Amino acid sequence: MTVTTDTGARTEEAASLIGDARSRIDTLDDRIIGLIQERMAVSAVIQEARISSGGRRVSLSREMEVLSHFRDALGKPGTALAMTLLELCRGRI
């Protein structure tokens, strides 16, 4: 029985499947990063418009909507993910 150290698989077939799946995950991660960067840019536009009109940089009620949306879709870990996303999108102006 061969153990492939980079995948932890014990067969070549499993190692190949894992390698292909990891490649797909890397592609998905790149897309997710791109979407987060796009969201950050859109958030900056919103914040600039809000501030220039005399409003606050952050809308707490909107942030609560985002937190609820992520929690409803992904469970408790979704809340932590949304918090990180909101943190990334705040204060870039």
Side-chain angles (χ1 to χ4, degrees):
M1 186 177 297
T2 305
V3 177
T4 353
T5 56
D6 60 334
T7 64
R10 292 182 178 248
T11 67
E12 289 303 319
E13 181 181 352
S16 177
L17 186 137
I18 291 167
D20 291 346
R22 284 182 176 173
S23 181
R24 183 162 179 227
I25 284 174
D26 291 343
T27 299
L28 290 167
D29 286 347
D30 288 341
R31 287 174 50 199
I32 290 166
I33 290 167
L35 289 170
I36 290 169
Q37 291 169 331
E38 183 178 350
R39 189 189 194 286
M40 290 168 67
V42 172
S43 182
V45 169
I46 292 168
Q47 289 175 52
E48 179 64 34
R50 192 180 294 123
I51 290 167
S52 67
S53 71
R56 296 173 51 116
R57 179 173 53 88
V58 175
S59 169
L60 296 178
S61 63
R62 174 61 180 151
E63 288 196 355
M64 293 306 293
E65 290 175 16
V66 172
L67 291 170
S68 292
H69 181 68
F70 273 72
R71 183 187 61 242
D72 292 347
L74 303 172
K76 186 177 178 182
T79 303
L81 178 60
M83 285 297 294
T84 300
L85 187 59
L86 290 169
E87 182 180 347
L88 283 168
C89 293
R90 283 189 207 122
R92 294 293 180 164
I93 301 173

